[in-house]
Structures are given as structure tokens and as C-alpha cells.
Amino acid sequence: MRKLIALLMVFALLLSMAACGGSSDNASSDSSDEAVMIGVSMPTQSLQRWNQDGSNMKAKLEEAGYKVDLQYAGDNDIPTQVSQIENMITEGCKVLVIAAIDGSSLTEVLKQAKEQDIPVIAYDRLIMNSDAVSYYATFDNFQVGVMQGQYIETALDLKNAKGPFNVELFTGDPADNNATFFFGGAMSILKPYIDSGVVVVPSGQTTQAQVSTQDWKTENAQSRMENLVTSNSYSPKGKKLDAVCCSNDSTAMGVVNALTSVGYTKDNMPIITGQDCDKPNVKSMVAGLQSMSVFKDTRTLADKVVGMVDSIVKGSEPEINDTKTYDNGTGVIPSYLCAPVICTVDNYKEILIDSGYYKEADIQ
């Protein structure tokens, strides 16, 4: 009888353990079903870098166990982005990661996020005039411009040469706060040479408003460069153009298109800067048409943002490394700045291919 009772007790214990195991599986399933939703709002799919940013962000967040509502706002359509963010708030997203089309256009919709205590991370572009912005994750965008200016400074030996060197300037969309930092960084290097006469801007266009490019579009930059070629008589055999400081790759591509259409080749192309290392621009560097691009590894930025989201969801403070630079009009936003690097034909394989960012076939 005692043996029978003992066997029955063992059997009962096994049934209890099995039941606990089943309960654990169900809880895991329930936990998966109730995974925290994160809203990710990107400005457009018309530029390669935003496609990469969005896909990297989604993959990293899902890998960390979150659900992700990733939305692209058409082709930089502000009402679409506002509507998408409203839907994210309604659907119960617990954190919003937003790359704004216009840094000043989201004030009203983000009031809804603040009312519901939904933290907002401004992604790469600072959202202006909103106290709903909790954190900012980006690259050191002023330093990006500094790198572009320094590249021109070194390539033309501005510290030692008498000049004058003919230089034109291109930056991005006036609604994008980043354009201010890119342009400001470049001008911190170039303006002293302009003031001294070592560098001349024949067009006379030296303010950010004068050199902006609506929507960062290649065709808009190309149209302006074509006008500059005509009005200033630039040509491969005529008036020399020594450099064009472009804030990013889409504007650089427009400049290259305009110059090649009037006969410029790798043998007489002016120095042309860029940013983002878009595939067509890397090809352009390899072909000798674009001189450099500033590389911002979106995988690094995605990792940092996922870390921020994780800290917020768990109730701890995210890692930040800048508490002084980025004031959005309501106060300084705690920020994490990733480091950009210069990419040229001499090091692109190490930076882009060996790191796995691109395959060799992508730029052939």
C-alpha cells in the first residue's frame, strides 16, 4: 500500500510539473501577444538612407522583443506623417521614434503624446518647439559639416595657398534643422577663408537660405547647379570651379549631374563633398566624380535608439552623451551623438564593404 501511495504521489507530482510547464508556455505566448508596441515614423522612402534607417530600426526592435509600427510619410508629406503619428498614439504605442520631415510641424500632434505620457525620441532630426520630446538620437551633425569643410581646406591647401579658389555651396531643406548644423559646421571652416579672399563664392550665395535645397532633392540641386554654371560661366576649359561643398549625397549627385552634362569628367571635376554614402554616390567616388562622403552608420544609430527604448520601457534613464548642444526651443534635449567618419575612394572598402554595410556587388 505504501508503495502504491508513493507511486501515486510521484504521478501527481509529474502531472503538476507538466501543468506548470504548460502554464509557462501559455504565459510566454501571452507575453508575446502583449509585446510593447513602438511607433517608428520615417519621412520618406525616396531616399536610400531612410529605407535603411527604417529597416534597421524595425529589425533591431523586433530582435529585442518589441512590436513595431513602422510608417513612411509618402514622399516627405507632412500631413501624412502627422496622421500616422496620430494613429500610433491611438493604437497604444508606448514610445515614439520620429524622424521629422519638418522639425516644426509636429507640435500639435505631439501634445497628444505628452498628454498620454508617451515618450518621444527625435531620430536624427531634432523636433522643434515641442516639450513632448524626451530624447534626441543622432550623429554629431555639426561635426559632419566640419569634416566637409576640412576636406576642402586640405584638398585645396587653403592654409598655405593664396588662391583665390572658386567655391559654391549647397545645403539641404530649410525645414530640416540638421541642415543648419551641417551648413554651420562647414562654414566654421570655410568662412574665414571667404572673409580673407582666399576662397571666393562667385555666385555671391553664401547664406543658408540662398544655398538651401528643397526636400534635399537631387533634381533641385541639379537645377540650381545648372543655373550657376550658366550665370558664372563655369566650364572645363573656361572659368575654373575648384570645389562644391554639398551637405549630403542627394545634393552632391545633382551637382555631379549638372557638371557632367556640360563636359566635366574625373580629370577636371571640382572637389565635391557629400554625406550618407548612398550607393550611387559611392559608385561616383569610385569613378572619380565625387570626392568624399561622410559615413553615418545607421546600424550604430539603430542600436543606440533600441537601447534608449529599452531603458525607457524598463523605467531607467537612457544613455546620453550630450546635454548642452541641442535646444529645440523649449529647452536642451538630452542627446546621444554617434561619431561620423570620412569615406573616400581610398578607404571605402574598409568602411563599407569589410564592415558588411554593403556588398561589393552593390557598388559595381
Side-chain angles (χ1 to χ4, degrees), residues 183-194:
F183 185 69
M187 289 300 279
S188 73
I189 303 299
L190 297 178
K191 191 175 185 302
Y193 296 110
I194 295 173

Side-chain angles (χ1 to χ4, degrees), residues 265-290:
T265 68
K266 65 178 182 178
D267 298 322
N268 49 35
M269 186 68 71
I271 296 160
I272 297 176
T273 66
Q275 173 193 185
D276 292 330
C277 288
D278 289 344
K279 292 176 187 177
N281 296 78
V282 178
K283 293 178 182 179
S284 186
M285 284 197 294
V286 173
L289 301 177
Q290 182 171 324

Side-chain angles (χ1 to χ4, degrees), residues 171 174 183 206-213:
T171 194
F183 185 69
T206 58
T207 68
Q208 184 177 347
Q210 290 172 320
V211 304
S212 63
T213 306

Side-chain angles (χ1 to χ4, degrees), residues 29-341:
S29 176
D30 290 344
S31 174
S32 176
D33 290 343
E34 296 173 4
V36 172
M37 177 76 79
I38 309 299
V40 178
S41 175
M42 293 282 132
T44 180
Q45 285 185 296
S46 66
L47 292 179
Q48 176 192 319
R49 66 86 32 110
W50 295 117
N51 287 313
Q52 290 179 180
D53 281 59
S55 60
N56 282 338
M57 186 71 56
K58 188 173 188 292
K60 295 284 186 181
L61 285 168
E62 289 178 341
E63 185 179 328
Y66 296 101
K67 287 185 178 179
V68 182
D69 183 4
L70 169 63
Q71 299 290 334
Y72 291 90
D75 187 7
N76 288 300
D77 186 67
I78 294 172
T80 297
Q81 185 167 50
V82 170
S83 176
Q84 289 172 342
I85 293 171
E86 286 177 341
N87 290 337
M88 290 175 184
I89 294 170
T90 301
E91 290 170 359
C93 289
K94 300 303 182 183
V95 181
L96 298 177
V97 180
I98 302 172
I101 298 168
D102 180 336
S104 299
S105 66
L106 301 178
T107 304
E108 290 303 314
V109 69
L110 291 186
K111 286 180 180 178
Q112 300 175 33
K114 187 174 179 63
E115 288 170 358
Q116 298 188 36
D117 295 322
I118 301 173
V120 174
I121 299 173
Y123 181 89
D124 198 46
R125 294 173 171 178
L126 185 58
I127 298 170
M128 304 300 292
N129 305 315
S130 173
D131 61 1
V133 180
S134 308
Y135 300 98
Y136 181 35
T138 187
F139 287 85
D140 189 337
N141 291 320
F142 188 85
Q143 184 62 26
V144 168
V146 168
M147 288 175 166
Q148 293 165 341
Q150 288 176 335
Y151 186 91
I152 292 173
E153 178 184 53
T154 300
L156 295 180
D157 193 22
L158 297 181
K159 290 182 178 179
N160 301 305
K162 294 181 179 180
F165 296 99
N166 293 328
V167 178
E168 295 290 351
L169 309 167
F170 282 71
T171 194
D173 191 282
D176 182 353
N177 192 59
N178 280 0
T180 300
F181 287 101
F182 300 146
F183 185 69
M187 289 300 279
S188 73
I189 303 299
L190 297 178
K191 191 175 185 302
Y193 296 110
I194 295 173
D195 292 344
S196 69
V198 174
V199 167
V200 175
V201 182
S203 68
Q205 297 172 0
T206 58
T207 68
Q208 184 177 347
Q210 290 172 320
V211 304
S212 63
T213 306
Q214 190 70 34
D215 295 327
W216 293 94
K217 287 188 174 180
T218 295
E219 55 266 35
N220 294 337
Q222 181 171 341
S223 176
R224 177 168 172 255
M225 189 69 240
E226 288 169 348
N227 290 334
L228 292 179
V229 167
T230 301
S231 60
N232 294 279
S233 302
Y234 296 127
S235 73
K237 296 181 180 180
K239 186 175 181 179
K240 188 176 182 183
L241 178 60
D242 295 290
V244 185
C245 185
C246 298
S247 286
N248 83 330
D249 280 352
S250 57
T251 55
M253 184 59 70
V255 169
V256 168
N257 291 344
L259 294 178
T260 54
S261 69
V262 294
Y264 283 87
T265 68
K266 65 178 182 178
D267 298 322
N268 49 35
M269 186 68 71
I271 296 160
I272 297 176
T273 66
Q275 173 193 185
D276 292 330
C277 288
D278 289 344
K279 292 176 187 177
N281 296 78
V282 178
K283 293 178 182 179
S284 186
M285 284 197 294
V286 173
L289 301 177
Q290 182 171 324
S291 308
M292 62 86 80
S293 186
V294 178
F295 179 55
K296 303 190 304 186
D297 194 333
T298 56
R299 296 169 299 183
T300 301
L301 188 56
D303 282 340
K304 291 301 178 184
V305 172
V306 171
M308 279 184 166
V309 168
D310 214 34
S311 295
I312 291 169
V313 171
K314 293 175 180 177
S316 60
E317 284 296 317
E319 180 184 6
I320 57 175
N321 61 10
D322 187 289
T323 58
K324 298 179 180 179
T325 306
Y326 294 95
D327 189 328
N328 79 339
T330 67
V332 175
I333 306 301
S335 306
Y336 191 94
L337 311 182
C338 300
V341 297

